[in-house]
Amino acid sequence: MGKKIVLVTGANKGIGFGIAKHLGLSGWQVVIGARDEQRATKVIGELKAEGIDVLGWVNIELKDLDGIDKAAKEINERYPELSLLVNNAGIPGDMSVDSEHTEISVIRETLDVNFIGTFALTKALIPLIAKNGGRIANVTVPSEISPYWHPLAYVASKAAQECHDGCDGHRIPADQYPFGNLLRSSWTYDH
């Protein structure tokens, strides 16, 4: 087996940081995907202090499609053995309002980042991941309606990710399916 290299988007804080740390402690070489150099540098220092092999960071701003193309090119050049992409980065939208009071601009921005941007990055990296026999995992949430938690923009954006996973899941044989959903289904990395 070759190197185990993972790119975790949004790894500069929260769940993304936890995923990067866990995978790093499990023997993966980690690439940090972030949109802020200062935060990325701070996290790299923290992870390295834990003994994690952090290869570097890539500037990924999911609302900037040209920037995503540039980031994908950089990833292909600097990390040609990348075999796992964890799509974690995203924005929450306005979680303080109900659907009736959600602004269209908030829905549009949240979909642009959480679905369109994630889709664009995934699409750009599929050839590299496939070449390396790798996997793609999306961090998401249940999109079923809940009486307890229902921020429209965020849930709609994550439902779109699930639709993407499901649409590709029907055309790719199960043993070759590169997608997984970390919070909704289990997946394994077989190499």
Side-chain angles (χ1 to χ4, degrees):
M1 176 177 13
K3 295 178 184 176
K4 295 189 328 182
I5 300 175
V6 59
L7 167 64
V8 181
T9 67
N12 58 302
K13 61 183 178 176
I15 294 170
F17 175 79
I19 291 169
K21 181 177 178 180
H22 173 76
L23 290 171
L25 291 172
S26 299
W28 287 82
Q29 294 178 299
V30 177
V31 178
I32 303 296
R35 58 185 171 167
D36 181 281
E37 182 175 7
Q38 187 175 5
R39 286 184 185 171
T41 302
K42 179 178 182 270
V43 164
I44 288 170
E46 291 173 17
L47 292 172
K48 285 185 174 185
E50 298 268 350
I52 295 168
D53 186 3
V54 182
L55 300 178
W57 82 285
V58 177
N59 185 340
I60 298 176
E61 172 56 76
L62 291 174
K63 67 182 178 184
D64 176 6
L65 296 179
D66 292 333
I68 290 171
D69 289 341
K70 182 179 174 184
K73 183 178 180 193
E74 179 182 347
I75 292 161
N76 273 277
E77 290 172 359
R78 290 178 58 196
Y79 312 108
E81 294 179 30
L82 181 75
S83 58
L84 178 58
L85 167 62
V86 178
N87 284 316
N88 166 72
I91 61 173
D94 187 348
M95 292 191 171
S96 69
V97 298
D98 59 20
S99 297
E100 177 183 352
H101 296 97
T102 301
E103 298 290 331
I104 297 295
S105 61
V106 171
I107 294 171
R108 180 173 286 130
E109 178 185 31
T110 308
L111 283 167
D112 281 349
V113 171
N114 296 358
F115 176 63
I116 302 296
T118 298
F119 175 77
L121 180 64
T122 300
K123 185 176 177 182
L125 293 178
I126 282 176
L128 178 61
I129 300 289
K131 177 188 82 159
N132 292 324
R135 296 273 191 236
I136 299 166
N138 292 321
V139 177
T140 187
V141 298
S143 58
E144 293 86 13
I145 303 305
S146 164
Y148 307 107
W149 190 76
H150 48 271
L152 178 62
Y154 186 75
V155 173
S157 70
K158 294 302 186 171
Q161 281 186 346
E162 290 180 21
C163 287
H164 172 239
D165 291 352
C167 288
D168 277 344
H170 293 288
R171 76 173 176 79
I172 301 171
D175 65 335
Q176 297 173 18
Y177 188 62
F179 295 97
N181 181 316
L182 289 180
L183 299 183
R184 295 283 307 228
S185 64
S186 61
W187 55 272
T188 58
Y189 179 80
D190 301 323
H191 234 295

